[in-house]
């Protein structure tokens, strides 16, 4: 969840019963995003249990509670007290919304977090801590294999991070990916497998596919080899904007800046040749090729000019080859020249 201000809005709408399904899903994603977010919810429940012994909280206690909670959610220090009516009229609407969200948090504490959340979603008392494992393959690192508790196998490429629970004991099997990975998912019709990316969710029940979705990149690519998957894409605010299904041999390319998605038929085997220690590319722009080389070889590549970035190439090389040899193979038509300075590589047009 990239926009913390949205959390305030979702909480307000949630309590008023006006939240949409997409917003409710994003609020739940925020809870799943990190153990700290769940701890905040548990903390609210604890405060609720403590304050039930008192008829109501004093204004000073409420204000102190909402200030502390909103600092956690927004990362900002709020005023010492809620503004009086004349002062509220001078405040911009978006600021008033933050005061409203803060007041909501105070009300949660005063009237019972568990009671309200229990009516709309999972009761707080039923939330059990989820133990997550995290595997990271650094830039320039060798692929790593992860065996999940359900029998699924995930192979991670260089510069990739996978977060996954020790056990899948809920209605779904969910993992979080940043980077490139090849999934072989164990088939369980009653328990869908969901791969959560920066702005996409991939839902499967048993299949094999390759995902390339690095957090700092402007695109995400999903290539299906076996089975079927559904791919849901969101904008930067977390609202769904695309929903497509892929069949074997199809590739979905999602532009995380414009929100556009394209689906094309490809040779799916090309997407996961890295598993065999090779990199095959067909009619790919030099910019995309260099992005991959940066991760495989732990280098930074600087290209001069937009024309150079869009030149398309087809080729094959072994990941065991030196980066200089790889660039020479790509540049067999002598369209550019390159210079190495440690881990920095500079490419210029001829």
């Amino acid at each position: 969840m990239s926009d913390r201000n949205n959390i305030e809005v979702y909480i307000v709408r949630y309590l008023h019963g006006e939240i949409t399904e997409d917003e409710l899903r994003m609020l739940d994603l925020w809870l799943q995003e990190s153990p700290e977010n769940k701890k905040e919810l548990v903390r609210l429940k604890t405060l609720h249990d403590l304050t039930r012994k008192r008829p109501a909280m004093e204004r000073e206690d409420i204000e102190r509670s909402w200030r502390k909670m909103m600092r956690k959610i927004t990362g900002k220090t709020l005023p010492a007290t809620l503004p009086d009516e004349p002062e509220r009229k001078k405040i911009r609407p978006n600021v008033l919304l933050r005061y409203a969200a803060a007041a909501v948090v105070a009300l949660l504490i005063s009237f019972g977090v568990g009671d309200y959340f229990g009516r709309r979603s999972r009761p707080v008392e039923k939330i059990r801590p989820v133990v997550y494992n995290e595997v990271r393959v650094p830039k320039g690192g060798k692929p790593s294999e992860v065996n999940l508790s359900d029998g699924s196998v995930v192979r991670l490429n260089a510069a990739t991070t996978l977060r996954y629970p020790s056990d899948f004991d809920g209605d779904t099997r969910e993992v979080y990916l940043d980077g490139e990975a090849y999934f072989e998912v164990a088939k369980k019709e009653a328990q869908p497998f969901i791969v959560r990316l920066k702005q996409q969710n991939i839902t499967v029940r048993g299949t094999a596919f390759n995902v390339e979705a690095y957090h700092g990149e402007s695109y995400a690519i999903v290539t299906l080899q076996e089975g079927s998957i559904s791919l849901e894409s969101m904008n930067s605010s977390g609202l769904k904007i695309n929903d497509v299904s892929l069949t074997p041999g199809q590739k979905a390319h999602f532009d995380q800046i414009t929100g556009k998605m394209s689906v094309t038929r490809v040779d799916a085997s090309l997407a996961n040749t890295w598993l065999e220690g090779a990199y095959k590319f067909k009619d790919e722009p030099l910019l995309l090729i260099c992005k991959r080389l940066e991760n495989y070889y732990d280098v930074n590549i600087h290209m001069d000019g937009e024309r150079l970035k869009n030149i398309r190439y087809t080729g094959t090389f072994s990941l065991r080859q030196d980066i200089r040899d790889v660039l020479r193979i790509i540049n067999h038509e002598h369209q550019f020249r390159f210079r190495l300075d440690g881990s920095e590589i500079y490419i210029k047009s001829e």
Side-chain angles (χ1 to χ4, degrees), residues 267-285:
D267 180 356
S269 64
L270 293 178
N272 60 318
T273 55
W274 57 269
L275 294 172
E276 303 168 356
Y279 177 28
K280 295 182 180 180
F281 46 92
K282 182 178 181 180
D283 195 32
E284 294 283 359

Side-chain angles (χ1 to χ4, degrees), residues 182-237:
Y182 182 76
F183 288 82
E184 294 179 341
V185 177
K187 187 174 183 179
K188 290 191 176 183
E189 290 289 340
Q191 194 182 31
F193 190 98
I194 300 176
V195 182
R196 298 200 181 277
L197 312 176
K198 178 183 178 182
Q199 288 180 226
Q200 297 85 37
N201 294 327
I202 304 170
T203 303
V204 303
R205 285 176 172 80
T207 186
F209 57 98
N210 194 83
V211 182
E212 185 182 358
Y214 289 95
H215 186 78
E217 301 298 339
S218 62
Y219 64 89
I221 299 174
V222 181
T223 307
L224 180 62
Q225 187 163 351
E226 299 175 7
S228 64
I229 62 176
S230 61
L231 176 61
E232 181 182 72
S233 299
M234 288 78 71
N235 60 21
S236 58
S237 298

Side-chain angles (χ1 to χ4, degrees), residues 268-309:
S269 64
L270 293 178
N272 60 318
T273 55
W274 57 269
L275 294 172
E276 303 168 356
Y279 177 28
K280 295 182 180 180
F281 46 92
K282 182 178 181 180
D283 195 32
E284 294 283 359
L286 184 59
L287 177 62
L288 179 57
I289 295 171
C290 287
K291 289 293 183 182
R292 293 196 176 203
L293 294 179
E294 286 182 327
N295 293 327
Y296 295 159
Y297 289 92
D298 191 14
V299 296
N300 297 311
I301 300 178
H302 311 273
M303 282 184 284
D304 184 20
E306 291 299 319
R307 187 194 70 83
L308 187 60
K309 296 178 182 179

Side-chain angles (χ1 to χ4, degrees), residues 20-86:
T20 66
E21 289 299 322
D22 285 335
E23 292 169 342
L24 185 61
R25 177 174 53 80
M26 294 308 299
L27 185 58
D28 183 64
L29 284 179
W30 179 75
L31 290 174
Q32 300 293 335
E33 196 172 67
S34 70
E36 288 72 22
N37 293 347
K38 285 189 174 181
K39 288 179 182 178
E40 290 305 321
L41 187 58
V42 173
R43 179 179 178 277
L44 284 173
K45 179 61 169 61
T46 302
L47 287 173
H48 156 65
D49 291 340
L50 291 174
T51 55
R52 283 184 66 90
K53 299 178 182 179
R54 298 166 58 183
M57 295 183 69
E58 299 293 337
R59 178 181 176 84
E60 180 182 350
D61 294 334
I62 292 176
E63 291 181 348
R64 183 166 56 251
S65 295
W66 69 254
R67 286 199 304 272
K68 187 171 183 179
M69 286 302 303
M70 294 309 293
R71 278 199 303 270
K72 290 283 188 180
I73 295 176
T74 67
K76 298 179 180 180
T77 301
L78 299 176
T81 60
L82 285 168
D84 295 328
E85 184 66 29

Side-chain angles (χ1 to χ4, degrees), residues 46-162:
T46 302
L47 287 173
H48 156 65
D49 291 340
L50 291 174
T51 55
R52 283 184 66 90
K53 299 178 182 179
R54 298 166 58 183
M57 295 183 69
E58 299 293 337
R59 178 181 176 84
E60 180 182 350
D61 294 334
I62 292 176
E63 291 181 348
R64 183 166 56 251
S65 295
W66 69 254
R67 286 199 304 272
K68 187 171 183 179
M69 286 302 303
M70 294 309 293
R71 278 199 303 270
K72 290 283 188 180
I73 295 176
T74 67
K76 298 179 180 180
T77 301
L78 299 176
T81 60
L82 285 168
D84 295 328
E85 184 66 29
E87 292 299 319
R88 284 201 296 270
K89 295 180 179 179
K90 302 177 183 179
I91 302 175
R92 297 190 305 274
N94 64 324
V95 179
L96 281 175
L97 181 58
R98 294 190 183 186
Y99 283 127
V104 163
V105 174
L107 288 172
L108 276 172
I109 297 171
S110 180
F111 297 114
V113 181
D115 293 341
Y116 191 89
F117 274 76
R119 293 197 298 271
R120 293 279 307 196
S121 185
R122 297 188 302 272
V124 173
E125 49 268 26
K126 289 186 179 180
I127 294 178
R128 294 185 297 170
V130 179
V131 179
Y132 277 91
N133 300 308
E134 184 171 282
V135 176
R136 295 184 180 183
V137 179
K139 291 181 67 174
K142 295 182 179 180
S144 177
E145 182 175 301
V146 179
N147 295 286
L148 304 182
S149 62
D150 66 336
S152 298
V153 178
V154 186
R155 295 177 176 85
L156 310 180
N157 205 348
T160 297
T161 300
L162 178 72

